[in-house]
Amino acid sequence: MSGRFVSLEGGEGVGKSTQTARLAEALEARGLHVVVTREPGGSEGAEAIRGLLMQGEVTRWSPHAEALLFAAARADHVEKRIRPAIEAGHWVLCDRYIDSTRAYQGGQGIDDAAILALHGFGSKGLLPDRTLLLTLPEGAGADRALERDGGVADRFGARGPEFHAEVAAAFARIADAEGDRVRRVDARGTPEDVTQRLIDALADLLP
Ligand code: TYD
């Protein structure tokens, strides 16, 4: 039996991490073996690269260097953790994946085709069976994220509202262009409501 690969995407503070954990519980309750992971990170090497990416000044890396670091982290994560788990028949839930690079690094002027070419080289172009894009009205997520992090933003959260609006627009373009893979899920309402919407958006993949 081959497993499934599902990524969760969205801007800052949409509740992805909470929902990834809740979704994992819901799938396990259906008897599935679930592996939860995240990016940047998810394997030993990729977690080391995460430290380089998340800490320091906003300007620490050029957009090109940053795109390469995300691609390198992902290559290690895919090879060491994601592919083996899928091949073992597990459901892999990944908190952020390639569409985050397309939205965030794309928002800093890196061409989508270049990002996908790097993904082809580093990770053999592995795409999720389904990508769940959590959406909130503009601005709502950034406030939630800052509150959660005690007013301290990381290198990406520290960028301005225009940057986050551009990220949201980029995610929306990907969802429009790749509707088979990417489903938008409204992140408003109770955690229970949102988890149910995520399950509904996976209905055709569930055994
Ligand atoms: P993280 O602390 O994991 O936060 P979040 O709760 O927002 O997922 O931070 C990951 C940050 O890295 C987030 O601001 C998005 C950014 N990022 C990219 O810019 N490109 C990428 O490819 C990925 C995976 C993340």
Side-chain angles (χ1 to χ4, degrees):
M1 182 182 76
S2 176
R4 295 286 186 185
F5 179 24
V6 176
S7 63
L8 285 94
E9 298 279 8
E12 314 290 309
V14 289
K16 257 182 315 81
S17 307
T18 308
Q19 286 300 329
T20 304
R22 291 184 56 91
L23 180 60
E25 269 177 35
L27 294 174
E28 273 162 0
R30 290 168 184 249
L32 299 171
H33 187 294
V34 181
V35 172
V36 174
T37 188
R38 66 154 181 193
E39 292 204 343
S43 62
E44 195 187 330
E47 287 290 333
I49 297 174
R50 179 185 173 93
L52 297 174
L53 281 162
M54 302 303 289
Q55 289 149 28
E57 298 295 316
V58 169
T59 54
R60 181 178 189 186
W61 303 107
S62 74
H64 288 83
E66 197 166 86
L68 288 164
L69 286 169
F70 277 110
R74 183 161 303 126
D76 191 70
H77 186 207
V78 165
E79 186 187 328
K80 305 263 174 63
R81 186 125 188 254
I82 297 179
R83 269 192 209 281
I86 299 170
E87 280 162 14
H90 303 328
W91 275 62
V92 177
L93 298 188
C94 192
D95 183 344
R96 295 195 183 281
Y97 190 64
I98 182 68
D99 300 307
S100 278
T101 308
R102 299 171 74 189
Y104 283 77
Q105 280 62 58
Q108 292 165 87
I110 305 292
D111 182 53
D112 197 48
I115 291 170
L116 291 174
L118 285 178
H119 187 53
F121 175 72
S123 302
K124 300 197 180 101
L126 179 71
L127 289 178
D129 298 297
R130 178 75 25 90
T131 294
L132 303 166
L133 173 62
L134 286 163
T135 61
L136 277 179
E138 202 178 316
D143 298 342
R144 253 161 61 165
L146 259 191
E147 223 170 274
R148 174 197 65 193
D149 301 335
V152 185
D154 60 38
R155 284 188 58 244
F156 297 94
R159 288 166 209 249
E162 307 76 34
F163 178 73
H164 293 290
E166 178 46 45
V167 166
F171 276 131
R173 282 194 297 275
I174 296 168
D176 287 341
E178 297 173 52
D180 275 354
R181 173 173 69 88
V182 185
R183 301 286 157 82
R184 285 184 173 83
V185 175
D186 187 348
R188 289 175 295 184
T190 66
E192 290 76 13
D193 290 342
V194 180
T195 309
Q196 187 55 51
R197 286 180 204 129
L198 294 171
I199 293 279
D200 293 345
L202 292 174
D204 58 319
L205 300 180
L206 289 169

